[in-house]
Amino acid sequence: MNKYRTTCLTAMIALCISDVMAQQWTLKDCIDYALANNISLKKTKLQEYSAIEDIKQSQADLLPSLSFSTSQNGTYRPWPEEGKATVDNGYVQSSVDKIYYSGSYSVSGNWTVWNGGRNTNTIKLNKLTAEQAKLDSAETANSIQEQIAQLYVQILYSNDAINVCKESLETSKKNEERGKEMFDVGKISKADLAQLTAQRAQDEYNVVEAESNMRNYKRQLKQVLQIADDKEFDIAIPQTTDEMALSEIPALNDVYTSTLSIRPEIKNAKLGIESSDLSIKIAKAQKLPTIGLNAGVSTNTTSMSDNAWGTQLKNNVNVGAGFTVSIPLFDNRSSKTAVNKAKIQKENYMLELQDKQTTLYSTVENYWLQAVTNQNKFKAAKVSTESAKASYELLSEQFAQGLKNIVELMTGKNNLLTAQQNELQSKYLAILNIDMLKFYETGKLK
């Protein structure tokens, strides 16, 4: 029995631990979840599916159309003229029935044999449109990943900032306790003690503010992930090392050259130019003749005939076929307007490509400058933190011996806190911007 209870207890503990661990979101977890659930991304996917349907429709338009039609009519003639014949469905009937019925049945088909290549070019155009819709989805996915990475790093920074603020608070508490002891023996004044108390209260405020910032970043991350519930949301805190912030920064031109071949917004703009070329061909085809084939089979029946229904169907069968040639002579300038607008659209896509290339270069350059700047800041901040820490430790010892006053002690402590925060900020900004450069270079975010 004891063994059974022990096993059950172990299983329950394991389940609890598993549940807690399941709530720790890694960066990959966040990205995978967002790519599967983000509403903006789902909308772009729907546009992609709609474009695929347009492809299928344009392909089906190459095939002949076939339709069946029938009409059933009843006629009432209250005062028919005796001895006169009646024409119904093209047949002369001698019956003088007041009420009679007639029906017609036909199967017809039409096929556009040639229309200047508009049908085949429309298929090509719809395929490019579908590819552009797919690239729109990829562009949205990249944007979402960037947002997640930035918020994730902000949460990591906030987590370390909270720890720094808490360490500062513990130091302030110790200083306040030491100040109370010194006040009791008359070494410092009540005003000096009040300053130490104010410093401790300020550090408590800093902890609350840092925790609030972290909760806000988590809220923003939940919004990107489309999570709308009150369940506990937390991220896994990976180990970040100084080496990550001091890693080699990819060369600016190398990153930009790679982005031109993999970024979906650049591919999309190039496809836009291709699609405008097809639009020009389709517009020019409006000036060309259209050749079509048609064929049909029809028959009819009437109650005014003495023949059986099946016999009437057989005897009244008509089979016909033909072709049509439509030559546009004057179209009120519609074809010329379509061609000119397609050419204007091509110019617009070319300008859009240049604009996106410029924007992309600016984005990459900004990440590169931020990476270089914050890496150098981090190197300087590490030295500054070590110096401020050593200085504050010396000030604390001298303050305890009565060699330094409250102002000097608090100034040293504030300098240390500022140096620690600067080090953290530059460290995480360097890591973020280096990772963003690698993301733009490879298309993968790690």
Side-chain angles (χ1 to χ4, degrees):
M1 180 63 71
N2 290 336
K3 184 177 180 181
Y4 174 78
R5 289 179 178 176
T6 302
T7 303
C8 291
L9 182 60
T10 303
M12 291 176 63
I13 293 174
L15 287 173
C16 292
I17 293 175
S18 176
D19 184 62
V20 172
M21 292 180 64
Q23 297 177 4
Q24 302 292 315
W25 292 69
T26 64
L27 178 60
K28 185 178 183 303
D29 292 336
C30 292
I31 291 175
D32 291 344
Y33 186 88
L35 295 182
N37 296 277
N38 185 269
I39 293 177
S40 298
L41 189 56
K42 285 183 177 181
K43 287 182 178 180
T44 58
K45 284 290 184 183
L46 292 178
Q47 294 174 359
E48 181 181 344
Y49 299 149
S50 178
I52 292 174
E53 290 300 318
D54 289 337
I55 294 175
K56 294 178 180 179
Q57 180 61 58
S58 58
Q59 290 173 333
D61 289 341
L62 293 177
L63 304 175
S65 63
L66 186 66
S67 62
F68 168 78
S69 64
T70 180
S71 63
Q72 309 297 321
N73 303 296
T75 306
Y76 172 59
R77 290 183 177 178
W79 302 285
E81 188 176 357
E82 299 292 337
K84 297 292 183 178
T86 302
V87 178
D88 184 66
N89 286 333
Y91 293 91
V92 179
Q93 307 292 347
S94 59
S95 173
V96 290
D97 295 341
K98 291 184 177 182
I99 301 175
Y100 66 94
Y101 154 83
S102 63
S104 64
Y105 312 88
S106 67
V107 177
S108 60
N110 293 280
W111 181 32
T112 300
V113 179
W114 189 76
N115 61 355
R118 276 180 288 174
N119 46 12
T120 53
N121 283 327
T122 298
I123 294 175
K124 296 177 182 178
L125 179 61
N126 287 336
K127 287 183 177 179
L128 287 180
T129 302
E131 185 64 25
Q132 285 184 286
K134 186 176 181 180
L135 290 172
D136 286 338
S137 297
E139 190 173 347
T140 301
N142 283 346
S143 177
I144 291 171
Q145 290 183 71
E146 283 190 54
Q147 292 181 55
I148 291 174
Q150 291 170 354
L151 290 170
Y152 200 89
V153 170
Q154 287 286 3
I155 294 173
L156 296 181
Y157 163 72
S158 297
N159 180 71
D160 280 358
I162 290 172
N163 294 332
V164 168
C165 290
K166 286 182 177 179
E167 290 177 4
S168 180
L169 175 59
E170 290 301 318
T171 302
S172 294
K173 287 181 178 179
K174 292 179 180 178
N175 287 341
E176 186 182 18
E177 291 298 325
R178 185 187 305 169
K180 288 179 180 180
E181 294 174 358
M182 296 175 69
F183 174 74
D184 291 338
V185 298
K187 286 188 176 182
I188 64 173
S189 66
K190 190 173 183 179
D192 291 338
L193 178 59
Q195 291 186 52
L196 292 175
T197 301
Q199 180 70 61
R200 186 261 305 159
Q202 179 62 46
D203 285 342
E204 289 178 344
Y205 176 86
N206 292 340
V207 171
V208 173
E209 185 178 35
E211 291 175 343
S212 176
N213 289 337
M214 186 172 186
R215 284 193 295 269
N216 186 50
Y217 288 130
K218 288 182 180 179
R219 178 195 61 78
Q220 294 180 48
L221 182 56
K222 286 178 65 178
Q223 183 179 5
V224 176
L225 299 181
Q226 308 291 165
I227 297 177
D229 57 48
D230 58 353
K231 294 182 180 178
E232 183 66 24
F233 178 82
D234 203 0
I235 68 169
I237 305 296
Q239 182 179 5
T240 55
T241 62
D242 293 352
E243 287 73 18
M244 295 172 65
L246 297 173
S247 61
E248 183 180 359
I249 300 175
L252 173 58
N253 289 333
D254 292 344
V255 176
Y256 178 64
T257 302
S258 297
T259 59
L260 291 177
S261 61
I262 65 173
R263 292 294 293 188
E265 58 266 35
I266 301 299
K267 293 181 180 179
N268 203 334
K270 291 180 178 179
L271 287 180
I273 297 174
E274 292 183 36
S275 66
S276 60
D277 287 333
L278 288 173
S279 296
I280 293 173
K281 291 180 180 179
I282 293 172
K284 287 181 177 179
Q286 295 181 20
K287 301 178 182 179
L288 302 177
T290 299
I291 301 174
L293 296 178
N294 60 81
V297 178
S298 64
T299 185
N300 55 71
T301 62
T302 178
S303 63
M304 298 176 68
S305 173
D306 294 333
N307 293 330
W309 186 77
T311 302
Q312 292 185 56
L313 287 176
K314 178 181 177 181
N315 293 341
N316 297 338
V317 168
N318 291 311
V319 179
F323 72 92
T324 59
V325 178
S326 176
I327 302 175
L329 298 178
F330 180 71
D331 60 359
N332 298 323
R333 203 182 182 275
S334 61
S335 58
K336 185 175 182 179
T337 299
V339 171
N340 290 341
K341 292 184 72 173
K343 290 180 178 179
I344 292 172
Q345 184 63 33
K346 181 178 180 179
E347 291 292 331
N348 182 65
Y349 275 121
M350 293 175 68
L351 292 174
E352 185 176 345
L353 175 59
Q354 294 179 18
D355 181 59
K356 287 187 175 181
Q357 289 174 335
T358 302
T359 301
L360 182 61
Y361 183 84
S362 178
T363 301
V364 172
E365 185 179 29
N366 179 61
Y367 280 132
W368 185 83
L369 288 173
Q370 291 295 324
V372 172
T373 301
N374 284 284
Q375 190 176 81
N376 291 331
K377 282 184 176 181
F378 178 62
K379 294 176 182 177
K382 282 180 65 67
V383 177
S384 177
T385 300
E386 292 174 0
S387 176
K389 186 176 181 180
S391 176
Y392 178 69
E393 289 175 352
L394 180 60
L395 283 170
S396 296
E397 293 177 3
Q398 292 177 333
F399 174 73
Q401 298 172 6
L403 301 176
K404 295 293 182 180
N405 58 37
I406 293 295
V407 175
E408 293 173 312
L409 178 67
M410 293 177 62
T411 300
K413 182 177 178 300
N414 289 334
N415 291 338
L416 174 59
L417 179 60
T418 300
Q420 290 174 326
Q421 291 176 338
N422 289 340
E423 180 182 347
L424 282 179
Q425 187 177 43
S426 58
K427 173 183 177 180
Y428 281 105
L429 284 176
I431 292 174
L432 172 63
N433 287 282
I434 290 173
D435 286 346
M436 285 295 100
L437 284 173
K438 293 178 180 178
F439 174 56
Y440 272 72
E441 185 178 25
T442 64
K444 296 180 180 179
L445 188 59
K446 298 180 180 179

